[in-house]
Amino acid sequence: MSENKITTASPTPSADGIAAAARAAQKGRGLPPVDKWNPEFCGDLDMRIARDGTWFYLGTPIGRPEMVRLFSTILRKDGDDYFLVTPVEKVGITVDDAPFVAIDFEVAGTGKDQTLTFLTNVGDSTVAGPDAPIRVTRDAETGEPSPYVLVRANLEALIDRKSFYRLVEIGAHHGDWFGLWSGGEFFGLIPSADLPTT
């Protein structure tokens, strides 16, 4: 049997094999239906997404944006774990924080009619709203905020610092919170009482 013809999941998953299966499974321009694929778990792949959104394979940054984009389209989160999923393979990868980074956003409208559309480092866009909430966690020791927006199916993007500063500039008070309106929903960033008074 030819080694190039794979009919079952490879016992030793590799980035090349996963990429080939991902390309073969893609149909049209939409995202692959990874939520409908249930292949056997094939083990962990030495792949890591750093907090800044850089993808590493075998400790080396993946320098081809089209390869990173391809892998990002077959990423799935089950529970607290992240996997690359194709119709024939499911491999675990490491994600330091969120799998994506929101590197920019556009604003349409104002006040309660405002809409925020975020762009990620892998080319996804997401409109914040009831189905794509914004949330903020704070470091227990430093108080440093980490803001996130949901991109798709349990996969979040960490909103980068420059974008977060811009968001704060257009924030508003609602009830006891300072936060953002988008898609008819208000997302509290920080209790109004915790804001600096100067």
Side-chain angles (χ1 to χ4, degrees), residues 29 31 53 55 65-66 68-70 72-73 99-104 117-126 151-152 157:
R29 301 179 63 83
L31 291 166
W55 289 58
E66 64 275 10
V68 170
R69 172 62 187 167
L70 178 65
S72 76
T73 65
F100 309 132
V101 177
I103 56 173
D104 202 0
T117 303
F118 291 88
L119 177 68
T120 74
N121 61 317
V122 294
D124 288 313
S125 65
T126 188
V151 177
R152 63 175 187 266

Side-chain angles (χ1 to χ4, degrees), residues 101-181:
V101 177
I103 56 173
D104 202 0
F105 69 92
E106 294 180 353
V107 186
T110 58
K112 293 183 179 181
D113 297 323
Q114 179 172 268
T115 300
L116 303 172
T117 303
F118 291 88
L119 177 68
T120 74
N121 61 317
V122 294
D124 288 313
S125 65
T126 188
V127 177
D131 296 327
I134 297 170
R135 70 178 182 94
V136 176
T137 64
R138 302 184 78 79
D139 185 281
E141 294 180 7
T142 67
E144 181 78 14
S146 293
Y148 303 87
V149 62
L150 185 66
V151 177
R152 63 175 187 266
N154 301 325
L155 300 175
E156 290 184 312
L158 174 67
I159 300 171
D160 72 4
R161 189 176 296 269
K162 71 179 186 325
S163 297
F164 187 57
Y165 287 153
R166 286 176 54 214
L167 288 169
V168 169
E169 289 175 2
I170 62 171
H173 291 278
H174 180 66
D176 296 328
W177 284 82
F178 176 81
L180 297 158
W181 286 98

Side-chain angles (χ1 to χ4, degrees), residues 42-117:
C42 301
D44 292 324
L45 195 64
D46 187 0
M47 188 175 285
R48 178 175 72 88
I49 306 174
R51 192 172 196 267
D52 67 359
T54 304
W55 289 58
F56 291 84
Y57 180 56
L58 300 176
T60 302
I62 300 174
R64 294 171 54 201
E66 64 275 10
M67 187 65 71
V68 170
R69 172 62 187 167
L70 178 65
F71 287 134
S72 76
T73 65
I74 58 167
L75 186 63
R76 191 170 87 193
K77 185 180 183 186
D78 295 341
D80 293 327
D81 300 317
Y82 292 89
F83 302 91
L84 297 180
V85 183
T86 75
V88 295
E89 290 179 290
K90 177 181 180 181
V91 297
I93 68 168
T94 301
V95 177
D96 289 353
D97 190 344
F100 309 132
V101 177
I103 56 173
D104 202 0
F105 69 92
E106 294 180 353
V107 186
T110 58
K112 293 183 179 181
D113 297 323
Q114 179 172 268
T115 300
L116 303 172
T117 303

